[in-house]
Structures are given as C-alpha cells and as structure tokens.
Amino acid sequence: MNSLEILDNDSMTEVKLLPTVIEITSQERRMIKDAAEHLEKKYGSYENRDFIKHVHQMASYFLPERILHIAADFASDFSKNQYGALIFQGLMDIDQELLGTTPPNWQSADYSKFNLYGFACALIHGALPSKPVQYYSQRKGGGLIHAIIPDEKMRETQTGSGSATDLYVHTEDAFLKHQADFLSFMYVRNEEQVPSTLYSIRSHKSIGENYRPLFDRIYKIPKDANLETGESEEEALDSVLYGNNKLPFMRFDAAEQLFNPSIKQSDDAHQCLAEFWDEARHLIYSGFTPQAGDVILVNNHLCAHGRSAFRAGVRNIDGIEYACERRIMLRMMSKVSLIDMRAHTLTEDPFFVIEEHLGKNFQHL
Ligand SMILES: [Fe+2]
C-alpha cells in the first residue's frame, strides 16, 4: 500500500519510496466528525483518562473500516517498502472562523478550540493501537496535544516555535530511550503553504557494511534545543540505528548529533554520522504541502520529520506577498506499551513520561 515513484534516469530506473497518501472520502470524514462530537459529549475533553483508557475500543467502534485496516497494517509493517509516514488528506473540516486569529505563541493558545481535533487524533493513534501520552521533556507535559505555532521571539531556534531557519530532520526526542512510537501532526492552518519535510530510513537503498558502526553505542545523543544541557550528557552514549540489522530503526537528529557546537562526537562517531548525513540529506522529501484538516501520521522509529524555513504570516502567490494567518499544527505522541516504560512514568500516572535523557529520569518529579 506504499507509494512507489518510478524515476527514469538516463541509464537506470530508480524506485523512490514515498509516504502513502490516503484521501479521506466525505463519508469517512463525516463518520470521524460524528465520532468526535459524540465523544466530546460523553467525555468532555480528549484529556479525560476514561476516554484515553478506552481509546482502542472507541477507535474500533467509531472509525471507518478502511482507516482501521490502514492503521493496523501501518503499526506492524517495518518492511523495506514501509516509508513510515501516512498522509491522511482531509481527515477533518476545520472551521477557520471559529479558530479566530492565530495566537502569538503556544502558551496563549485556547485549547478548547482544538478539543474535537484532539478526539479525532486520539482515535487514529488508538487504531494502531498506540496510547496517547505526554512527555515532561516536552513543555513539562502540557497535555496530550501540543499546538505548534510560530513564535516571533523563537523564530531563529531549532524548535517547533521557530520559523526563520530550516528545522533539520529529526526523530522526535531522539535523546530518550522511550521516545514516542508514533506521532501525528494535524494541520489546522497552513496558509503560508509550508511543505512538510520527511525522511525515512527506508529511503536508503540498503544499510550495508559501511553503516554497521551506526549500530554501535558510541554516539552522543544530546537533548534538543528546547532543553538546557545537563552535565552528564557527554557521558551518555547510544546507537543511531537499532532493531533489525537489515531493516533497522533510527534515532537521529542531524542538528543535535552533527551540528551542535557544544557536543563533540569522537572522531569515529563523527565520521560515520557525517557519511550517513551525506547520503540522508539527499533523501529528504518535501513534496507534500499540508492543507487545513490534513494529518500526517509518523512511525517515529522509521521516519524523521522537519520543516523548511518560512516567513510566518506571509503567503507568496506568484511572487507577490500577502499577509495571512500564521500556521497552527497540533502534535500528538503515543506509545504502544505503557508497561515497557513504567520505570520512566509518574507513579500515579503511567501516561506521563518523566525520562530526561537516555534512561535517566528528571530527579525532581
Ligand atoms: Fe519534532
């Protein structure tokens, strides 16, 4: 079910793996909206633990059959043809007027406006099945959904709030042992027409002998720009590739592992990473521009994500610049197993992850 694009070069035919695009039909969109509205009436908020605990059953009961099948296949397909990203086009209708003006930053967003969308995203994760969780390392938890909004004060940073510089491709929270298994990005507004950026480990023709050292635990995996640097960080090492040797998973963050000036990899580690990046950077895909209502679902072990630089609040049409509303994207993260990461969740809340860095927890929680 993956998209394969045939590229005809002069002398050879190359098959390029692409994320799978699923166009949601109007009937399916109606079913999802009805489900979200029904669940909102019953549970109030998508944060309600009674809803989240039952999210798998709710997904089976309410989601269209086709989407259930696609989600289940995606969750357990790690094959060479699995890109690791699904694009659901038109999953929800977004009422732009109800949304109002984009707030200046995520801190001032009114989350009640995202409530229905939160239910819809949670159902998609539930169908995998995977459980929506929150991470202390991201916004001190901050709930099951994070609104990603360009913030003028943060425009130069390598964070979701940045805009002026390219956000290098990365797997989310590469510095955690128990990083999210799946991520969803729901675009509720993208008037600037910023393309999404994806990069799949499966896009490499093969992971041959030259990449064998990427399975060694010799790499510094620094925390990202959202976080302060801890002193023990330099000592913690891990591998970039893991899982199956032929068809591996990855924990990769180009900005932090290769270009963070305060982190010095060993010569061997740096050389391997640089060679890997030299191939990887040509495999980045930015051919899809999400529209309001689209959702990108990512397997965070197979596929990295990022974003090109853009000017927030400016839309360019045929070379003429127009003012527009700034972008809003809603991110949800999920884990397949609450049991595997129990040593890294709050005593009273197994949905709240308190891992700080590669198996070490935040001490004050
Ligand atoms: Fe990210």
Side-chain angles (χ1 to χ4, degrees), residues 320-336:
I320 301 168
E321 290 182 344
Y322 299 88
C324 67
E325 283 295 335
R326 284 152 39 252
R327 192 173 94 123
I328 304 177
M329 184 181 69
L330 305 177
R331 175 180 60 198
M332 183 175 271
M333 300 189 264
S334 69
K335 285 299 281 179
V336 168

Side-chain angles (χ1 to χ4, degrees), residues 123-175:
L123 288 175
I124 298 291
H125 287 269
L128 290 166
S130 190
K131 294 166 200 305
V133 293
Q134 55 183 315
Y135 282 82
Y136 188 82
S137 68
Q138 300 257 10
R139 302 182 178 179
K140 297 193 166 72
L144 298 176
I145 270 196
H146 293 153
I148 312 283
I149 296 170
D151 179 342
E152 271 308 296
K153 293 195 196 93
M154 302 278 284
R155 63 196 291 271
E156 304 288 344
T157 62
Q158 282 285 314
T159 70
S161 301
S163 58
T165 50
D166 286 354
L167 179 61
Y168 278 99
V169 287
H170 58 279
T171 55
E172 197 66 23
D173 295 340
F175 56 93

Side-chain angles (χ1 to χ4, degrees), residues 24 29 32-34 36-37 88-94 116-121 186-187 292-295:
I24 303 295
R29 186 158 45 247
I32 294 165
K33 185 174 179 234
D34 287 350
E37 285 174 348
F88 293 105
Q89 273 189 305
L91 191 95
M92 284 212 100
D93 287 321
I94 309 288
L116 269 190
Y117 312 139
F119 278 107
C121 292
M186 175 179 263
Y187 293 81
D294 292 351
V295 172

Side-chain angles (χ1 to χ4, degrees), residues 177-193:
K177 278 281 187 201
H178 298 270
Q179 73 275 48
D181 294 326
F182 295 95
L183 310 168
S184 63
F185 302 106
M186 175 179 263
Y187 293 81
V188 292
R189 183 170 274 166
N190 187 21
E191 293 183 12
E192 296 98 333
Q193 297 292 291

Side-chain angles (χ1 to χ4, degrees), residues 104-118:
N105 48 42
W106 63 264
Q107 291 90 339
S108 51
D110 173 3
Y111 275 70
S112 68
K113 292 183 175 174
F114 308 141
N115 203 31
L116 269 190
Y117 312 139

